[in-house]
Amino acid sequence: MTILTETKDGPLVLSPDQVEKIGRTLDELRDRLVADLGERDREYIYNVIKAQRGFEIAGRGLMYLGFLPPFWLAGVAALSVSKILDNMEIGHNVMHGQFDWMREPNLNSRVFEWDTVCPADQWKHSHNYMHHTYTNIHGRDRDIGYGVLRIDEDQDWHPYYLGNPLYAFLLMVFFEWGVMLHDLEADNIVKGKRTWAELKPLLKGQLRKSGRQVLKDYVAFPLLSGPLFLSTLAGNVTANLVRNLWAYSIIFCGHFPSGVQSFTEAETADETRGEWYVRQMLGSANISGSPLFHIMSGNLSHQIEHHLFPDLPANRYPEIAPEVRALCEKFGLPYNTGPLGKQIGSVWAKIFQLALPPQVQQSRFARFLPAVLRKREEPGVIVMRQQSPTGAGV
């Protein structure tokens, strides 16, 4: 594979030797991190769990005073923080196997279950396996558009995508439900590519898990608050909504802002370890922010580092980010990062632009739209596979 990087000074080509040097450097960084894991990481995750449980207890307790607006708002805020921590910094990271080395039964990726409607086993298949193995490869990574959106210009346009902004908004509001349904592959159901035999066990698992979540948040806890049933119900709905909006924003900023690249199966056939690393760096983006912001994002604000080392504790990503960035700069590769406002703005600009037919995007009208799709006109990165005379990748 030849990596061709377009810079302001012209094209920069990374040779196979350079790509493999990148791979060796990152392998060495990984080995160093693994050797250093210990009490600091153990204490970190225990402290996060302690904080999450504290916020949940506070949120549930404050709902009993929900007839007073300040207490209701405080309860919603505490419960929202609890759900965000459980979803982002605990659930997501634990189920990646980041703390399996601790041999703590409650933090084992094989048995952990999180506070959301998606069954853990289904999420681990669609996310840990499909997404992290085939990151941004068209036809393999189903996180490109989630089977609902046109989020990359290489996706064929269809009139259905005129509703792109609406679909994105609904996915954001009901994000935990979208994540739950993701493994069903709704688009393949419509095309008749999935059978009932394949769907039945998935649906049973989803109904069982979502039923427990609905019973807990929308029946049991509201009933326990007696005459404040509706107030508590509204608080739980709001907390889940806040968690959905936050998780959607962080995840989309890490995968779909301007400058993030996608790939074809032909380009990535017979990938080496170094090429896999380079694809991860080109196919993801970071979000800059404070230490608290990084914790609340589950350190997915360091999406580049997460894609390089998804099974290493996320609390280590901030300390290795400067090394990863320096490595990118050394070889001329982009290190896509920016504040939340910039990254989410480019994501939504892309969602609106890609709702339009390609001919409209290329027309004079496109001059009035944000320039987030001009991969071939502005500095960016293109991954190309050299072709042999027979057309096979070499």
Side-chain angles (χ1 to χ4, degrees):
M1 177 187 266
T2 298
I3 310 296
L4 173 62
T5 305
E6 289 293 336
T7 69
K8 294 179 180 178
D9 300 321
L12 170 67
V13 178
L14 296 185
S15 68
D17 286 344
Q18 289 175 307
V19 173
E20 292 316 301
K21 186 173 182 180
I22 291 172
R24 288 193 299 272
T25 301
L26 290 171
D27 277 340
E28 291 169 4
L29 175 57
R30 174 187 174 81
D31 291 343
R32 194 169 77 240
L33 276 176
V34 170
D36 191 51
L37 295 179
E39 191 59 33
R40 173 159 64 110
D41 308 281
R42 188 188 305 272
E43 187 174 342
Y44 176 82
I45 190 61
Y46 284 154
N47 284 339
V48 172
I49 292 172
K50 182 178 179 181
Q52 182 270 324
R53 290 174 178 172
F55 277 113
E56 180 170 14
I57 292 171
R60 300 295 184 192
L62 285 165
M63 286 299 167
Y64 288 94
L65 298 173
F67 57 89
L68 298 172
F71 287 94
W72 185 86
L73 289 172
V76 168
L79 199 54
S80 298
V81 170
S82 166
K83 287 178 174 291
I84 287 171
L85 287 174
D86 177 90
N87 197 168
M88 309 289 282
E89 184 70 320
I90 302 172
H92 172 275
N93 294 337
V94 168
M95 289 193 294
H96 262 297
Q98 294 182 7
F99 298 95
D100 284 359
W101 58 271
M102 290 174 53
R103 301 187 183 281
E104 166 65 60
N106 294 329
L107 295 175
N108 188 288
S109 61
R110 292 188 295 274
V111 298
F112 188 88
E113 194 62 76
W114 54 354
D115 183 30
T116 184
V117 296
C118 181
D121 60 335
Q122 295 186 29
W123 180 84
K124 284 184 285 189
H125 174 260
S126 62
H127 183 81
N128 288 11
Y129 174 61
M130 296 301 295
H131 172 59
H132 276 274
T133 303
Y134 305 110
T135 307
N136 283 23
I137 300 177
H138 282 283
R140 301 304 297 272
D141 183 5
R142 294 190 52 77
D143 279 20
I144 300 178
Y146 292 87
V148 177
L149 304 173
R150 186 171 185 242
I151 200 69
D152 188 279
E153 63 177 339
D154 290 329
Q155 291 174 270
D156 293 335
W157 187 85
H158 186 275
Y160 161 84
Y161 289 120
L162 290 170
N164 224 30
L166 175 61
Y167 311 146
F169 175 78
L170 292 174
L171 179 60
M172 178 176 64
V173 171
F174 300 102
F175 192 57
E176 66 171 322
W177 296 92
V179 171
M180 182 191 77
L181 297 173
H182 189 36
D183 217 27
L184 293 178
E185 301 180 12
D187 52 333
N188 284 329
I189 295 175
V190 173
K191 296 173 184 176
K193 294 182 178 180
R194 302 216 72 181
T195 65
W196 171 248
E198 294 175 298
L199 298 176
K200 187 176 180 181
L202 295 176
L203 288 169
K204 287 178 65 175
Q206 291 173 4
L207 287 172
R208 184 166 54 248
K209 181 66 192 300
S210 62
R212 288 200 298 265
Q213 291 297 121
V214 168
L215 181 64
K216 173 178 71 72
D217 275 347
Y218 305 142
V219 179
F221 277 110
L223 281 175
L224 286 173
S225 64
L228 295 177
F229 177 93
L230 292 179
S231 173
T232 302
L233 174 63
N236 289 351
V237 169
T238 304
N240 281 327
L241 174 62
V242 171
R243 186 267 317 279
N244 287 349
L245 300 181
W246 180 254
Y248 169 96
S249 298
I250 295 297
I251 291 169
F252 269 57
C253 283
H255 294 88
F256 307 122
S258 176
V260 168
Q261 191 172 329
S262 58
F263 312 85
T264 67
E265 291 188 66
E267 288 170 341
T268 56
D270 302 317
E271 257 184 344
T272 66
R273 178 70 169 173
E275 290 169 352
W276 183 87
Y277 274 134
V278 171
R279 174 162 57 86
Q280 302 307 315
M281 292 190 286
L282 300 182
S284 48
N286 284 7
I287 315 168
S288 57
S290 67
L292 178 59
F293 172 79
H294 295 316
I295 292 172
M296 292 301 293
S297 72
N299 276 292
L300 293 179
S301 46
H302 293 95
Q303 193 69 233
I304 296 172
E305 289 71 27
H306 174 58
H307 271 265
L308 292 173
F309 309 116
D311 61 343
L312 294 184
N315 56 290
R316 293 300 191 105
Y317 296 156
E319 69 185 61
I320 66 170
E323 291 187 58
V324 175
R325 184 168 192 162
L327 184 65
C328 288
E329 292 173 351
K330 177 179 178 180
F331 288 93
L333 294 171
Y335 186 84
N336 192 333
T337 188
L340 180 63
K342 174 190 173 184
Q343 299 292 56
I344 196 65
S346 72
V347 168
W348 278 101
K350 185 183 291 189
I351 288 170
F352 274 87
Q353 277 189 258
L354 290 174
L356 304 173
Q359 52 268 38
V360 174
Q361 295 174 29
Q362 297 165 8
S363 69
R364 292 183 178 182
F365 173 69
R367 292 182 304 168
F368 299 98
L369 297 173
V372 298
L373 300 177
R374 299 170 188 167
K375 288 183 182 177
R376 295 168 181 82
E377 299 173 11
E378 296 180 351
V381 177
I382 306 168
V383 174
M384 305 177 66
R385 182 167 289 277
Q386 292 177 320
Q387 298 293 316
S388 68
T390 62
V394 297

